[in-house]
């Protein structure tokens, strides 16, 4: 999917000044400036790995929370830690439970089941805990909206202390304490803690030792912080840095077993390893089974038991991946059968038996592939459609759902991600309402963006410079792995790797040779020939082999060196307007209609390159924008499909069909409509 490339403009004199003042490379200075670190003091704080966490008592209601919990500890009341089934909630539950147990508390953990109970406090769970003798519930990563549930707990004689990090509503629950950095009266300086970060602050307050709490529990806090994709800046950055150091020398049986089963080398652990190898395995338990399995692993003190639990989590993660692929394949088949599904401003689909725990991940993958806000729904046991949505750019999902709340039974979320449910009979009205809202807000929908941190020169490709970039880790939200522009590189060779599953591009760049690894791209899908000039978006890291270090470049995106981005997105937008039957000018309609000669050029290219696996974007790259604009190319492909000369695979690539009769292209519906 073609993305917009954007790069913040930084002045050369500012780059030189910061590089000189901090004793860093120009490339590192450019990255820091692009992320808002403009002075020596700001840069120094960014690199400071010992910056203290702020006092937990800056948070509203923290004193009340500490007093109530301390009373429960002193009098041996039964306490329940009430968590959530995602990675943030599970690690927060493990952290607080472990601390309270060390303090000698009579404590248990309750994590609701995703499929039968849903998110947050519920009356059934509260009643169960009350019947078991619990007199104090402490929530982690939930509770801020549980107004009625807290009142119900109070009616049963159960006090509630809430710790959460989600946005509060107008009315706070009448709990003993409500600790949430997003409260209007909260005086803490850092607001972007994950749920596990708030739980860590609570432990720091209970122990009156924030640094001690961080030293003892940073491993849990780091995993949950990375898992919840909160900004890895300021206090979160310190939490994750400490946690990574702790995990590299971890002795906890559960985490050791999980890393071993996941094939992680602890000494090489990074935030990306946590995000892509540890977090998904913890999340898999809540998505496909019970989050209690993941909690049991984190709390396990027996090495043999831990190995068995870790193996179960890895099996669940593999099953989760298989289910994702199954749903994705089903959706791709639907799209191949009905390309009209891609012509809306939004991609909205429903299935009967899709797993509710994984459709959010599938929605994210479809968003990445098609560049459209994606909403997926599946029928639950009660006959309701439960959905998960992912968005891009300025299309605000929560506002869109709010505008269509009359068709919904429940919804929540934020700009880029949301969950919702509706009655099955309201599905058509919901789809129509969401499309109407999108049309009202945008003539052309927002596009995915790739943020570039700076432009490389050949002089930057040294071990010393790239090592310095690595010191910006841990990478994550708002401190992403820097992606750099390599402008106007000429491809000199394309070498298949791993049996053709990946490619190595050899290029001449800035008058020097370089290699770029292109993962997940098969040889017959590469739309560029040797000799082509391209712009590359790459990440850079240090590779070590046989004791020798070198710079390794990995491709994130590629396009022709003369690519006109604005022209491409305008053409794409007008094509979609035409397909939706929306008004466009006569000039646009005329320019969208291909000539016989243009049809012949594209048809001949496809016939001569029948072994290639191209979608429409790769076909445009291979032909070149000077040959044909993207709107006209898409119209041309529609004409060939309608004439039964072209088919589309479930992967979205094209294949010519053997003609069974002479085709009159001027009689196809698309040609007639435009002409």
């Amino acid at each position: 999917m073609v993305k917009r490339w954007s790069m913040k403009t930084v002045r050369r004199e500012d780059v030189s000044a910061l590089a000189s003042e901090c004793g860093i490379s120009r490339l590192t200075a450019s990255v820091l400036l692009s992320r808002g670190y403009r002075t020596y003091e700001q840069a120094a704080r960014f690199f400071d790995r010992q910056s203290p966490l702020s006092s937990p008592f800056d948070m509203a209601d923290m004193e009340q929370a500490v007093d109530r919990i301390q009373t429960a500890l002193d009098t041996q009341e039964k306490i329940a830690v009430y968590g959530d089934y995602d990675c943030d909630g599970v690690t927060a539950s493990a952290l607080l439970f472990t601390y309270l147990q060390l303090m000698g508390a009579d404590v248990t953990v309750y994590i609701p089941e995703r499929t039968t109970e849903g998110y947050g406090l519920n009356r059934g769970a509260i009643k169960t805990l009350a019947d078991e003798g619990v007199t104090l519930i402490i929530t982690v990563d939930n509770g801020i909206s549980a107004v009625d549930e807290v009142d119900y707990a109070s009616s049963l004689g159960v006090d509630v202390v809430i710790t959460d990090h989600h946005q509060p509503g107008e009315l706070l629950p009448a709990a003993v304490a409500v600790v949430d950095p997003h409260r209007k009266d909260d005086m803490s300086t850092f607001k972007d803690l994950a749920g596990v970060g708030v739980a860590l602050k609570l432990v720091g307050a209970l122990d009156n030792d924030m640094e001690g709490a961080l030293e003892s529990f940073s491993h849990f806090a780091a995993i949950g912080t990375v898992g919840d994709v909160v900004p890895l800046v300021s206090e979160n950055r310190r939490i994750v840095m400490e946690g990574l150091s702790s995990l590299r020398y971890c002795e906890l049986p559960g985490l050791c077993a999980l890393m071993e089963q996941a094939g992680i080398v602890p000494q090489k652990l990074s935030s990306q390893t946590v995000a892509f190898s540890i977090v998904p395995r913890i999340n898999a338990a809540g998505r496909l089974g019970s989050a209690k399995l993941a909690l049991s692993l984190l709390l396990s003190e027996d090495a043999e038991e831990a190995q068995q639990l870790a193996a179960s989590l890895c099996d669940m993660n593999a099953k989760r991946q298989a289910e994702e692929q199954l749903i994705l394949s089903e959706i791709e088949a639907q799209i191949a059968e009905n390309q009209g599904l891609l012509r809306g401003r939004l991609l909205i689909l429903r299935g009967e038996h899709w797993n509710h725990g994984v459709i959010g991940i599938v929605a994210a993958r479809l968003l990445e592939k098609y560049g459209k806000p994606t909403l997926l729904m599946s029928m639950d046991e009660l006959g309701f459609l439960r959905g998960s949505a992912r968005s891009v750019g300025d299309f605000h999902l929560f506002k869109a759902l709010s505008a269509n709340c009359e068709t919904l039974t429940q919804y929540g979320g934020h700009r880029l991600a949301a969950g919702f449910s509706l009655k099955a009979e309201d599905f058509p009205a919901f789809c129509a309402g969401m499309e109407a809202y999108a049309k009202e807000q945008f003539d052309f929908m927002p596009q995915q963006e790739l943020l570039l941190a700076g432009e490389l020169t050949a002089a930057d490709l040294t071990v010393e410079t790239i090592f310095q970039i690595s010191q910006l880790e841990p990478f994550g939200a708002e401190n992403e792995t820097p992606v750099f522009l390599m402008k106007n590189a000429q491809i000199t060779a394309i070498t298949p790797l791993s049996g053709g599953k990946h490619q190595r591009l050899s290029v001449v760049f800035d008058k020097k040779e370089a290699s770029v690894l292109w993962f997940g791209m098969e040889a017959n899908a590469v739309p560029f020939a040797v000799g082509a000039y391209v712009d590359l978006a790459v990440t850079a890291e240090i590779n070590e082999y046989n004791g020798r270090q070198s710079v390794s470049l990995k491709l994130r995106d590629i396009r022709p060196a003369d690519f006109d981005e604005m022209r491409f997105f305008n053409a794409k937008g007008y094509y979609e307007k035409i397909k939706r039957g929306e008004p466009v000018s006569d000039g646009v309609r005329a320019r969208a209609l291909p000539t016989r000669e243009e049809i012949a050029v594209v048809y001949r290219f496809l016939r001569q390159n029948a072994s290639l696996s191209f979608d429409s974007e790769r076909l445009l790259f291979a032909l070149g924008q000077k040959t044909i604009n993207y709107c006209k190319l898409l119209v041309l492909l529609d004409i060939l499909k309608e004439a039964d000369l072209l088919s589309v695979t479930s992967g979205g690539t094209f294949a010519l069909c053997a003609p069974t009769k002479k085709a009159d292209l001027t009689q196809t519906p698309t040609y007639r409509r435009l002409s």
Side-chain angles (χ1 to χ4, degrees), residues 361-675:
I361 305 172
V362 177
R365 291 178 65 179
L366 291 167
L367 171 67
E368 176 69 20
K369 180 170 183 177
Y370 295 110
K372 292 177 181 292
T374 300
L375 298 88
L376 301 183
M377 286 155 271
S378 182
M379 195 78 74
D380 68 11
E381 298 79 7
L382 301 176
F384 286 86
L385 288 172
R386 286 173 53 192
S388 190
R390 298 293 184 270
S391 188
V392 61
D394 293 328
F395 185 76
H396 200 298
L397 276 173
F398 184 76
K399 291 180 179 178
L401 292 172
S402 299
N404 289 276
C405 61
E406 70 279 359
T407 60
L408 299 173
T409 57
Q410 192 176 14
Y411 68 98
H414 49 80
R415 179 170 61 92
L416 297 179
F420 57 96
S421 62
L422 65 153
K423 295 177 181 177
E425 59 264 30
D426 289 331
F427 177 73
F430 172 70
C431 294
M434 291 293 288
E435 275 288 337
Y437 177 85
K439 182 179 180 181
E440 178 185 307
Q441 297 296 314
F442 297 97
D443 188 28
F444 289 168
M445 289 294 286
Q447 303 295 327
Q448 287 180 299
E449 278 196 340
L450 179 64
L451 298 176
L452 302 175
E455 185 173 341
L456 286 177
T457 65
D460 293 321
L461 299 180
T462 66
V463 169
E464 293 74 21
T465 297
I466 303 307
F467 175 77
Q468 200 172 85
I469 293 292
S470 72
Q471 299 308 294
L472 302 177
E473 293 188 26
F475 295 129
E478 295 190 20
N479 185 44
E480 291 84 0
T481 303
V483 180
F484 299 107
L485 171 64
M486 291 177 67
K487 197 168 180 61
N488 205 36
Q490 186 180 26
I491 298 174
T492 57
I494 303 173
T495 307
L497 304 174
S498 302
K501 294 179 181 178
H502 316 295
Q503 309 299 315
R504 181 174 64 233
L505 301 182
S506 300
V507 300
V508 172
F509 162 67
D510 198 17
K511 299 181 180 179
K512 291 191 176 180
E513 295 181 352
S515 292
V516 180
L517 299 176
W518 192 351
F519 289 104
M521 177 55 63
E522 296 188 354
N524 66 345
V526 176
F528 304 102
V530 171
Y533 285 87
V534 293
D535 290 341
L536 307 167
V538 302
T539 59
E541 60 186 48
I542 303 300
N543 182 52
E544 187 166 340
Y545 182 72
N546 284 340
R548 180 177 174 271
Q549 291 185 325
S550 61
V551 175
S552 175
L553 300 175
K554 295 179 180 177
L555 190 73
R556 286 288 301 275
D557 206 356
I558 185 171
R559 57 178 50 174
D562 59 353
F563 186 70
D564 188 332
E565 185 180 88
M566 183 178 293
R567 183 185 180 199
F568 172 85
F569 285 115
N570 282 341
K572 180 182 178 184
Y574 279 120
Y575 169 76
E576 293 188 345
K577 276 176 164 287
I578 291 169
K579 293 296 289 185
R580 289 192 294 263
E582 296 174 6
V584 296
S585 69
D586 290 342
V588 168
R589 293 170 68 87
R591 289 193 296 275
L593 188 64
T595 64
R596 289 177 178 273
E597 290 75 18
E598 287 168 328
I599 294 174
V601 167
V602 174
Y603 185 82
R604 190 161 49 244
F605 178 88
L606 290 170
R607 188 175 59 195
Q608 292 170 350
N609 296 277
S611 62
L612 298 180
S613 179
F614 284 175
D615 57 16
S616 58
E617 292 177 354
R618 292 199 289 269
L619 181 57
L620 177 72
F621 285 175
L623 292 167
Q625 279 179 309
K626 292 179 181 178
T627 302
I628 190 169
N629 77 56
Y630 192 48
C631 178
K632 185 178 289 188
L633 176 62
L634 291 170
V635 168
L636 186 156
L637 294 170
D638 283 342
I639 290 170
L640 292 177
K641 283 182 281 184
E642 291 167 1
D644 294 327
L645 296 174
L646 191 72
S647 64
V648 183
T649 70
S650 60
T653 59
F654 301 112
L656 288 179
C657 304
T660 57
K661 59 181 179 179
K662 185 174 178 61
D664 186 352
L665 303 182
T666 63
Q667 295 305 305
T668 59
T670 294
Y671 194 99
R672 294 181 66 181
R673 187 167 62 250
L674 284 174
S675 61

Side-chain angles (χ1 to χ4, degrees), residues 227-241:
D228 212 54
V229 202
V230 289
L232 286 195
V233 298
S234 188
E235 296 195 19
N236 286 339
R237 182 173 166 81
R238 173 79 196 286
I239 288 170
V240 174
M241 283 193 292

Side-chain angles (χ1 to χ4, degrees), residues 202-350:
L202 175 63
V203 169
L206 285 165
D207 229 26
N208 200 26
D209 182 3
M210 196 65 244
E211 288 300 309
L214 180 61
E215 182 179 351
S216 298
F217 299 108
S218 63
H219 46 283
F220 289 148
I223 293 170
T225 297
V226 171
D228 212 54
V229 202
V230 289
L232 286 195
V233 298
S234 188
E235 296 195 19
N236 286 339
R237 182 173 166 81
R238 173 79 196 286
I239 288 170
V240 174
M241 283 193 292
E242 289 291 335
L244 291 175
S245 296
S246 175
L247 286 166
R248 288 176 189 128
Y249 300 98
C250 181
E251 295 181 356
L252 291 177
L255 286 173
C256 288
L258 185 59
M259 286 191 282
E260 181 183 335
Q261 295 274 350
I264 296 170
V265 179
Q267 285 68 37
K268 295 184 178 180
L269 192 73
S270 68
S271 55
Q272 290 97 324
T273 316
V274 172
F276 295 111
S277 296
I278 295 178
V279 170
R281 286 169 167 80
I282 294 174
N283 275 332
R287 294 184 190 281
L288 269 70
S290 173
K292 296 183 180 75
L293 177 67
L295 180 69
S296 297
L297 172 74
L298 296 182
L299 298 177
S300 177
E301 297 179 354
D302 180 85
E304 186 175 343
E305 175 196 55
Q307 287 290 343
Q308 293 172 354
L309 290 169
S312 295
L313 279 190
C314 289
D315 289 343
M316 278 190 174
N317 190 53
K319 184 180 177 184
R320 185 265 308 169
Q321 291 171 322
E323 290 213 22
E324 281 175 35
Q325 191 55 50
L326 193 65
I327 296 170
L328 196 61
S329 298
E330 185 178 327
I331 290 172
E332 294 288 12
Q334 286 184 34
I335 291 172
E337 184 72 22
N338 179 13
Q339 288 285 300
L341 293 171
L342 296 177
R343 301 308 166 220
R345 283 177 165 79
L346 313 173
L347 180 57
I348 308 179
L349 298 166
R350 59 178 284 185

